[in-house]
Each structure stands twice: as structure tokens, then as C-alpha cells.
Amino acid sequence: MNWAQRPHRLTFGFPVPGAEKTGEGWALRWAGCRVMGILNATPDSFSDGGRHLGLDAALATARRMRDAGVFMLDIGGESTRPGAEPVDAATELDRVLPLIRALTGENVLLSIDTMKPEVAAEALKAGAHLVNDVTGLRDPDMVRVCAGAGAAACIMHMQGEPRTMQHQPTYGDVVAEVHGYLRQRAAEVKAAGVPSVLLDPGIGFGKTLEHNLSLLRAVGDLASGPDPVLPDPVLLAASRKKTIDLIAGVPNAADRDPGSFALHLHAARQGAALVRLHAAGEMVQALRVEAALAVDVES
């Protein structure tokens, strides 16, 4: 089976666009790799800070991505770039809730990108479907929020916190440590009632260039998982990150889309279920072309 035919699934405790009712809840199934579009309602994100602060501008961007075939929109109200300062929950909610409410009923999956349980809870009430937490659901309250709502969650690996994560990150074996952490955390949160999870190795979150390259080369290992039938799906998120500058010499983040496409096409061929990008519609096109070139191999 080639990567474009590989099945993936997330389960939810409530109806979501495209899902079907099963004995375990609502199952969202897809094949190959799909795209999560980034929609930052922040003034200071590293690449597009301030671009979508107005509701009309954000809605226009969201609808363009949806119409281009983007699978899911990831809405964030707090920057997690290296060195970013935290914002309070009220500010974050003021940024994300109007957008989530406006997009409810428009037949698109919505993810809330937050580290705060109170923000996740309100976003889910407003119509979000999935929680994307860069801290890997470290806060027990975040686990309770997701489990109580029946929301799927994305578990990301991060060494440290956004303000300090790039201060000399160190690992013995980065692949073994990151993959081991993600699998253990997935088992823990599912045992606590979270219906399903995505696994994100956290490219650029407490990693050097060599750490990032090792993890990118090992996406296939993470995607294979301990369950050979239907492992937890993998999300790869490296859009416009510093890694591309360090490889190709592109200091302006907005100019890194070609490198972003290369990294995420590599991840798709290795079995990633989702890739998260700023240039989301363009990535849909790239994946469709790449899928047409995929060659069947024996399972």
C-alpha cells in the first residue's frame, strides 16, 4: 500500500464534519495525507502576526483555505514562536471565539491551538472539534477538558516552554526520546478518556537543526506506531520554520514556502496523516500531484 492509500482515523464523542456514527462515537476516516491550515489571530506570530486580527480578513482566509480543499483549520490566539511572551486567557478568547463561532456550520473541521484548559473549554463550546496543545496535555485540566467534551487532541513534544525552549536543547537519542514520550503520553490521555490523538514531534520546539533533521527522517517510525493496524495518526508541522533558513539560507520566514512544501511532502511519503502549513491551499495542490505519482507497493 502506498502512502496515498494509507488509512487514518480520529474518533470524537460528538458529530464533526465528515464523520460517521460508530459504536465508539463519531469516526473521521481519510486516506493519505491531508492539510491543516494555520489561522493565527495574533499580532506577534513569527510569520503572519497581525494578518488575521480582523474578523473579516480571518474569515476570508479561512474560506479560501476550505474552498481549496484544506481538511482542518487550526485557530490560535497566542504565539508559540521561540521567545514568545504568554497572554492571558481573556485576551486569547477575545481573539479566537468570534472566528470559531463564525465558522461553525461551514462544514470545516476546526482545531483550537492553545495551551490553556479554559480557552480549550470555551473554544469547544463555541464549535471547535479538536484541541492542539503544544505542551502535550501536560496540564491534567486539559486532559479533563478534552475527555469531558469528547474532543480529539494533538499531543506535541516540546522541551521547555516557548520562552526558553531554544536555550541549548539536549537529548541522548532525540528520536527514541521524542517518540517514546509521544507514545506514552498518547496511552495515558486515551486511558483518561480522550477519544483519540494526533502525534506531533514538535519540529523547532526545543530542538537544534540536527535534532529536527533526525526527527524528520524518522517520521515513518512514528507513523508506524505500536499498533500496526491503525496507529495514532501523525501531524507534521514545520511550516516556514527556522530549520528551512538553516538549510537553505532564507532569513525571511514569509519566503520559506518552497522549503515548507519539500519538508511536508517528505513527511507525507513517510506516512504522516496531516501536515500543518501557512500556505495550506498550495500544499493541497502539491499533495494531489504527489499522490497521483505514488506507486503501489506490497503491504
Side-chain angles (χ1 to χ4, degrees), residues 49-88:
R51 183 179 176 189
H52 305 128
L53 275 176
L55 180 59
D56 289 344
L59 281 173
T61 299
R63 288 166 178 156
R64 280 196 299 273
M65 288 195 284
R66 178 202 60 192
D67 292 346
V70 170
F71 188 60
M72 186 183 300
L73 301 177
D74 193 37
I75 299 168
E78 179 178 22
S79 176
T80 54
R81 61 180 173 79
E85 292 295 326
V87 301
D88 59 76

Side-chain angles (χ1 to χ4, degrees), residues 55 59 63 96-106 110 126:
L55 180 59
L59 281 173
R63 288 166 178 156
V96 302
L97 288 184
L99 183 53
I100 293 170
R101 289 173 179 144
L103 289 168
T104 299
E106 294 215 7
L110 302 176

Side-chain angles (χ1 to χ4, degrees), residues 79-256:
S79 176
T80 54
R81 61 180 173 79
E85 292 295 326
V87 301
D88 59 76
T91 299
E92 195 174 342
L93 286 167
D94 285 344
R95 293 172 178 176
V96 302
L97 288 184
L99 183 53
I100 293 170
R101 289 173 179 144
L103 289 168
T104 299
E106 294 215 7
N107 199 36
V108 62
L109 290 159
L110 302 176
S111 165
I112 176 64
D113 179 2
T114 185
M115 299 179 281
K116 299 184 181 69
E118 59 268 45
V119 172
E122 292 303 315
L124 291 168
K125 290 177 186 175
H129 308 109
L130 181 142
V131 174
N132 183 11
D133 180 6
V134 298
T135 71
L137 280 71
R138 291 178 192 167
D139 190 330
D141 286 340
M142 186 68 94
V143 177
R144 285 191 282 270
V145 166
C146 294
C154 180
I155 300 172
M156 197 196 80
H157 178 277
M158 174 173 58
Q159 189 176 92
E161 59 179 353
R163 284 179 294 178
T164 61
M165 63 188 178
Q166 289 307 107
H167 295 174
Q168 297 182 320
T170 58
Y171 301 86
D173 182 331
V174 67
V175 171
E177 291 174 36
V178 170
H179 291 190
Y181 166 84
L182 290 173
R183 288 169 178 157
Q184 178 180 347
R185 196 75 192 107
E188 291 169 349
V189 303
K190 287 190 291 184
V194 178
S196 60
V197 297
L198 289 160
L199 305 182
D200 179 352
I203 302 300
F205 282 80
K207 283 99 177 173
T208 65
L209 172 61
E210 289 306 317
H211 294 148
N212 290 325
L213 290 174
S214 294
L215 289 166
L216 286 160
R217 294 179 184 121
V219 168
D221 172 76
L222 184 60
S224 63
D227 179 354
V229 177
L230 203 62
D232 295 320
V234 170
L235 168 69
L236 199 286
S239 183
R240 299 181 181 174
K241 291 192 175 177
K242 183 68 174 177
T243 292
I244 298 166
D245 177 30
L246 295 175
I247 294 170
V250 190
N252 185 357
D255 294 332
R256 296 175 191 160

Side-chain angles (χ1 to χ4, degrees), residues 21-38:
K21 184 73 171 69
T22 71
E24 299 175 343
W26 279 263
L28 182 68
R29 295 184 174 92
W30 69 99
C33 186
R34 304 295 293 271
V35 177
M36 173 188 277
I38 298 170

